Amino acid sequence: MNWAGNVTFAAAELVRPSSVEQLQDLMSDRRRVRALGSGHSFNPIADTDGTLVSLENMPGEVEVDPAGRRAWVPAGATYGRICPELHAEGWALANLASVPHVTVAGACATGTHGSGRSNPGLAAAVSALELVRPGGELETVTSADADFAGSVVALGAVGIALRMQLELEPAYDVVQEVFLDVPLDAVLDDLEVVLGVGDSVSLFTNWATPETFGQVWVKRRVPVGEPTASTRSLRDLVGGRPAPAAVHPVPGADPAAATDQLGVPGAWHERLPHFRADAVPSAGAELQSEWLVPAGLGADAVGRIAAIAPALAPLVLVSEVRAVAADEPWLSPAWQRDSVALHFTWRPDPDAVADLLPMVEETLSPFDPRPHWGKLAATGPDALRQAYPRLRDFRELADRVDPERVLSNPFVDRCLGRRDSLDR
Ligand SMILES: Cc1cc2nc3c(=O)[nH]c(=O)nc-3n(C[C@H](O)[C@H](O)[C@H](O)COP(=O)(O)OP(=O)(O)OC[C@H]3O[C@@H](n4cnc5c(N)ncnc54)[C@H](O)[C@@H]3O)c2cc1C
């Protein structure tokens, strides 16, 4: 089962190879194979009717190359594992998602992102990856290779990543401050500016009171060890009041699971995620959906969603609006366009959510939405092809490196428009 409990994997077996040779053998003699990360996706993207492969028993260390400002990391390791190690050596990643619980390979494969007008998705930090291809060959793909842009956000369909090379920067501290009851109209009047008041900004609402964002989280880098001035600019710009105590994005949930707030500086990896690595993230029992729209259309898109708030509120635990900078991976939801991401954490009611998704997508359809590959959407293959202009190139790449479709599954086949293979 996946983390959310809404997908029961059809795999005949789950294996945990403990050497490269074992993984290569598996890849060469199984009919159907698929990598499983930490299982935090909400759809059957990780599933297979063959062999699921977890890399959790694979040996592998974080290897920093200080001169190149890069590190090789085990692809199956979680950010929660690698980030403290990078930090201990004086290094950092440019950005993180809301959860450190996900694996580097799994997060990158689905185009996972954090927030920030200057921050692209996590895959943008990858400069090379080592893949085991179907057949068992070990291959390194670097940013100099023509296939690279199709090989990182790759839905698990071009190989099983063993190691990933990540771009680093010197370690930095971050403070996060939360503002309550920020007027929605004022935010939408100047959405791009508001999403730029910090290095990472998240607007939260549960749509029960659509006239306000109940919480606005602002994360800002500060020079290590320096005191911080409070984020006055958000209040001056659009209103709201500083949260007097720590909060959790999901109303009513325990703030102890959230990363430290109230302007207390801390290491980048202990502030950029919303949730602590040692706690259950988010609501724990939930489903999620997310669509990215062009940044310039973000305010209109959020406004249209606000207009259907009464239909959303009964099913929404919390909704989050973030900025994501344009990047280059072909299947990145922010491919070549600065974006605004509209996220929904739903109550764990799969049927009700499935019934509501077409309405949300219809509402967002004027804004050219791109669905998140790891979350729930109703987007069909034709709409996906329109939303992701490089999808055809990606399919050609996947067909070339995996002609027998060893790595595919019905979810991926459907996304790629491989109608012929759906009956296999
Ligand atoms: C509580 C919660 C919060 C979240 N927050 C965010 C967020 O802030 N931003 C965001 O964008 N998303 C977010 N997500 C979504 C999440 O980041 C993605 O679903 C991500 O793919 C999960 O990573 P995983 O390791 O669990 O991968 P899995 O779900 O296990 O797998 C996802 C895909 O990666 C492939 N894969 C896994 N390992 C490998 C490998 N070694 N080689 C090749 N392919 C591989 C799988 O085959 C599958 O296709 C959140 C999810 C949850 C549950």
Side-chain angles (χ1 to χ4, degrees), residues 21-208:
E21 294 72 27
Q22 279 179 21
L23 178 58
Q24 290 179 295
D25 286 349
L26 264 172
M27 291 288 271
S28 57
D29 75 11
R30 295 295 201 281
R31 197 175 59 88
R32 208 79 64 80
V33 181
R34 202 138 171 91
L36 177 66
S38 60
H40 280 72
S41 295
F42 292 88
N43 57 39
I45 188 169
D47 199 13
T48 175
D49 58 3
T51 301
L52 262 184
V53 178
S54 160
L55 299 186
E56 61 193 9
N57 288 350
M58 287 294 288
E61 303 300 324
V62 172
E63 295 167 27
V64 175
D65 163 16
R69 292 165 71 113
R70 295 188 289 236
W72 280 103
V73 305
T78 63
Y79 285 93
R81 176 191 148 192
I82 67 156
C83 291
E85 293 186 35
L86 292 173
H87 185 73
E89 296 198 43
W91 297 99
L93 301 175
N95 199 19
L96 290 171
S98 69
V99 280
H101 307 66
V102 294
T103 65
V104 179
C108 291
T110 60
T112 289
H113 59 87
S115 186
R117 284 182 56 187
S118 311
N119 291 323
L122 303 188
V126 178
S127 49
L129 71 167
E130 219 174 62
L131 291 165
V132 180
R133 301 287 198 192
E137 306 82 16
L138 188 61
E139 232 180 274
T140 301
V141 184
T142 77
S143 51
D145 295 321
D147 288 345
F148 181 73
S151 301
V152 186
V153 183
L155 320 183
V158 302
I160 294 190
L162 260 185
R163 300 198 304 155
M164 324 255 299
Q165 189 185 54
L166 305 180
E167 305 277 353
L168 304 179
E169 50 188 277
Y172 53 89
D173 271 4
V174 171
V175 292
Q176 66 180 341
E177 292 163 294
V178 177
F179 296 83
L180 305 179
D181 303 326
V182 180
L184 182 128
D185 282 348
V187 170
L188 297 192
D189 279 350
D190 234 342
L191 182 63
E192 291 194 65
V193 173
V194 170
L195 288 173
V197 298
D199 295 293
S200 166
V201 175
S202 291
L203 315 172
F204 290 104
T205 173
N206 60 7
W207 297 118

Side-chain angles (χ1 to χ4, degrees), residues 326-337 339 370 387-390:
D327 57 19
E328 291 300 327
W330 294 343
L331 295 193
S332 166
W335 178 75
Q336 295 197 346
R337 72 182 196 195
S339 300
R370 292 179 182 160
Y388 285 92
R390 302 301 300 267

